[in-house]
Amino acid sequence: MEFLRIPLLLIIFAHSLSSTMATGLETYIVQVESPDSQISTHSSTMDLDSWYHSFLPTTIANSIEETRMIYAYHNVIKGFAAKLSAKEFKEMEKKEGFISARPQRVLSLDTTHSPSFLGLQQNLGFWKDSNYGKGVIIGVLDTGIAPDHPSFNDEGMSPPPTKWKGKCEFNFTACNNKLIGARSFSLGKGTTLDDNGHGTHTASTAAGSFVKNANVYGNANGTAVGVAPLAHLAIYRVCTRLGCPESDILAAMDVAIEDGVDILSLSLSGITKPFHDDVTALGAYSAMEKGIFVSCSAGNRGPTPRSVGNEAPWILTVGASTLDRNIKATAVLRNKEEFQGESAFQPKDFPATLSPLVYAGSNQSDINAPYCSTTSLNNTDLTGKIVLCEVGGGVTSVAKGQAVKAAGGVAMILMNRMQDGFTTSADVHVLPATDVTYADGQKILSYINSTSNPLATITFQGTIIGDKNTPVIASFSSRGPSRASPGILKPDIIGPGVNILAAWPTSVENNTEPKPTFNIISGTSMSCPHLSGVAALLKSAHPNWSPSIIKSAIMTTADTVNLGNKTIQDENHEPANLFAIGAGHVNPSKANDPGLVYDIQPKDYVPYLCGLNYTNREVGVIVQQKINCLEVGSIQQGQLNYPSFSITLGSTPQTYTRTVTNVGEASSSYTVDVVSPQGVDVKVEPSVLNFTELNQKISYQVTFTQTANLSSIGDVEGFLKWKSTKYSVRSPIAAYLTRVF
């Protein structure tokens, strides 16, 4: 992946293993029926496995020498993963009970200060009230873990709950009361050790223990700790540097449900698919039915509209935003112009004297030259020079610096892409460097072209905390509206995902001094575990809350203004729209006491799925039972009891029903406050909700009508808010207006 300049977003391959392709075999995910006449929904594992094997060609099913069945799924879907040839697949299609099969896809992998930024203070407030997530089990599907990192020490941890059934597959005594389970599914088994870093980083962000003096090159120094430091961790390795095969993801979710996790955290995504063809959505639905909360990254394909992934309404979809911390590095030109950027490598001995400044792209015969690849700089003498490189070209920022250093360069200035706006990255470089915006990079380039002797230096200001413009949407954070279900507003929420410091398996610094190892990286992969940790805190404080109640509490209490009390901005410092921020930025303390919540029972999703025009069989694949949509009925997407609204509105008024449950004060009264989207009349009935007891449910209706003589069409937004003397329960409204004739 390029914007992040770190190995977070891995290459998506059409198929999983070159070795299987060489033999003409591919890994297929096969879905089959489970008719009562064959296998009941309560059948034993042995019966179900036998049923699955009956679909394999006879020569394979009876073979002792080769095992083509990779996984038999028992919870997430009715089906299995197997290595098949095209001919064998065609033979399987003819069998009674067969639903579908396709080659698996490979999905991509999409802190010292962030808990404090989220308002979590040791021995105070919500962190203390939730007991730091004690007793909750977070299952992390990622690249594995470095079990000996101090972030996973179990000091002060209680033993895992008695419901825990998981395993520790390490070859040495690595698991403890913090790291209670570790299993590998990656590309057909292997070690659970993290050779990438991504999984160690996300696990410690969600539930890492307290580690003092955490920093990178002395920057972002402080006590590293996860959002839920007393929660237990169960690690499921499903990804390698080649990606995350769908069969492994399904297998891990299948096992995690059996193991007894409370939260599933998946910092990975792929291109949007219908939910019946989306392995994450399928696994998450089964988890949700068992009361397991599922948090997923929105994806790193922003700021492109309609790029959001993991869109199912039973998943919390998390976008990324900035912290109020910058690790500043300033490019200083001979003409006295200065341009602030960021870098985690901040040498104390870099000279203030000016050095020659050159643009890597001056060699116009090489289209890759601006990107400072190793090949483009191979025969270039950059001795003693500062080099301006462009972000992109499939080369990570650290690799650009390595190429510049190898060619003799003394420093590097990175110019971001235009679409990155004001988002900058504090990477751990191998030489003095700074990452500046595209606009500033263009000014630096103009200076280079304006003089025969351009000179510059870089000064380093270290860690600066207190940016009142934060949170700001990260440019890479994927945007809505949802392709799979436009009637559900996605992403749901945003959280810290830019320049996040967390545990790392190995040292990224150029020294051998023994010390805890950390790294600073960015992505929705980083924001997702923040929300997984928040969900763990809420689950610990409210054990009986369902996944949808936890989601509702997070969404309806979210912040919509920054630290300066102004509207949250996007990467261009313009007001961010709802397809970037969803309900807003997570506020854990407010989520702990939301007043009213929107609950959704598993059965409520069935008419919603029928309303997506899925066939009976496609709906049945998701809910794992036979469905007749004519009997069940269908509803519009907007009729689901979701904490937000996303509608397409033409000349016909639309009315939706919502039901709220009182979890605040027993005797309370709420009055509606509406800010209507431009060109839309919003009417709420009743306008007052009077509660007399806890857990009481009251329904209300919202009617949206496009006003006459509207001169423009397109996206507009507003909100409705239920307010009492203590609570404010906010639901965003996104509306796409079509022309009224």
Side-chain angles (χ1 to χ4, degrees), residues 131-405:
N131 210 358
Y132 305 94
K134 182 178 180 180
V136 177
I137 303 170
I138 303 177
V140 180
L141 275 66
D142 215 294
T143 63
I145 196 166
D148 56 348
H149 195 283
S151 289
F152 308 118
N153 80 80
D154 64 350
E155 182 180 350
M157 293 287 301
S158 59
T162 55
K163 69 172 183 174
W164 174 245
K165 302 176 184 177
K167 298 178 181 179
C168 182
E169 292 183 349
F170 283 115
N171 294 327
F172 49 91
T173 307
C175 290
N176 54 27
N177 287 333
K178 163 60 72 176
L179 178 59
I180 62 173
R183 304 183 70 167
S184 177
F185 301 85
S186 180
L187 295 175
K189 304 289 170 53
T191 178
T192 313
L193 284 170
D194 184 7
D195 60 0
N196 177 287
H198 193 275
T200 298
H201 198 281
T202 56
S204 66
T205 299
S209 300
F210 291 89
V211 181
K212 294 181 179 179
N213 300 318
N215 62 78
V216 174
Y217 284 116
N219 294 298
N221 188 55
T223 298
V225 61
V227 176
L230 291 187
H232 306 284
L233 282 168
I235 304 301
Y236 302 89
R237 188 176 195 244
V238 299
C239 304
T240 69
R241 294 181 183 276
L242 297 179
C244 315
E246 290 180 311
S247 61
D248 293 337
I249 295 169
L250 270 178
M253 297 180 83
D254 198 68
V255 168
I257 293 171
E258 288 283 345
D259 286 348
V261 302
D262 299 297
I263 312 290
L264 277 173
S265 184
L266 289 81
S267 291
L268 47 90
S269 69
I271 59 175
T272 183
K273 290 287 182 181
F275 300 142
H276 57 81
D277 193 29
D278 180 337
V279 296
T280 306
L282 292 171
Y285 187 92
S286 297
M288 174 274 302
E289 283 190 303
K290 303 294 194 303
I292 299 169
F293 184 90
V294 183
S295 171
C296 294
S297 52
N300 296 339
R301 293 171 290 277
T304 305
R306 300 171 66 84
S307 59
V308 66
N310 295 318
E311 306 138 277
W314 48 87
I315 292 173
L316 182 74
T317 310
V318 187
S321 54
T322 62
L323 295 169
D324 63 338
R325 178 182 67 198
N326 301 105
I327 307 176
K328 290 189 177 180
T330 303
V332 181
L333 308 185
R334 183 184 187 181
N335 64 4
K336 307 301 183 184
E337 286 188 289
E338 297 187 2
F339 302 97
Q340 286 190 349
E342 291 194 85
S343 173
F345 176 49
Q346 303 242 332
K348 293 180 171 51
D349 58 352
F350 190 67
T353 55
L354 300 175
S355 299
L357 174 64
V358 297
Y359 172 51
S362 59
N363 178 11
Q364 297 182 0
S365 63
D366 185 352
I367 60 172
N368 294 314
Y371 305 115
C372 294
S373 67
T374 301
T375 54
S376 68
L377 298 183
N378 255 348
N379 300 314
T380 307
D381 182 9
L382 298 175
T383 302
K385 297 177 181 178
I386 297 175
V387 184
L388 175 65
C389 302
E390 293 186 31
V391 166
V395 185
T396 69
S397 66
V398 174
K400 294 175 194 291
Q402 290 169 334
V404 169
K405 186 176 182 179

Side-chain angles (χ1 to χ4, degrees), residues 55 80 185 203 269 273 362 400 432 456 509 521 568 685 691 734:
F55 285 88
F80 55 92
F185 301 85
S269 69
K273 290 287 182 181
S362 59
K400 294 175 194 291
E509 302 181 23
I521 55 178
I568 291 175
E685 294 182 334
F691 294 91

Side-chain angles (χ1 to χ4, degrees), residues 606-646:
V606 178
Y608 157 79
L609 293 168
C610 290
L612 291 176
N613 294 321
Y614 291 169
T615 65
N616 292 336
R617 175 172 279 189
E618 289 168 344
V619 176
V621 163
I622 299 170
V623 303
Q624 295 192 62
Q625 57 181 289
K626 288 189 174 182
I627 295 295
N628 185 332
C629 285
L630 291 177
E631 296 177 358
V632 173
S634 63
I635 60 172
Q636 297 181 59
Q637 299 168 52
Q639 196 68 13
L640 190 67
N641 199 40
Y642 213 68
S644 59
F645 295 87
S646 180

Side-chain angles (χ1 to χ4, degrees), residues 444-467:
I444 294 171
L445 182 57
S446 294
Y447 164 71
I448 292 173
N449 293 329
S450 70
T451 177
S452 60
N453 186 29
L455 300 174
T457 189
I458 300 175
T459 61
F460 300 94
Q461 292 76 47
T463 304
I464 308 295
I465 293 177
D467 184 352

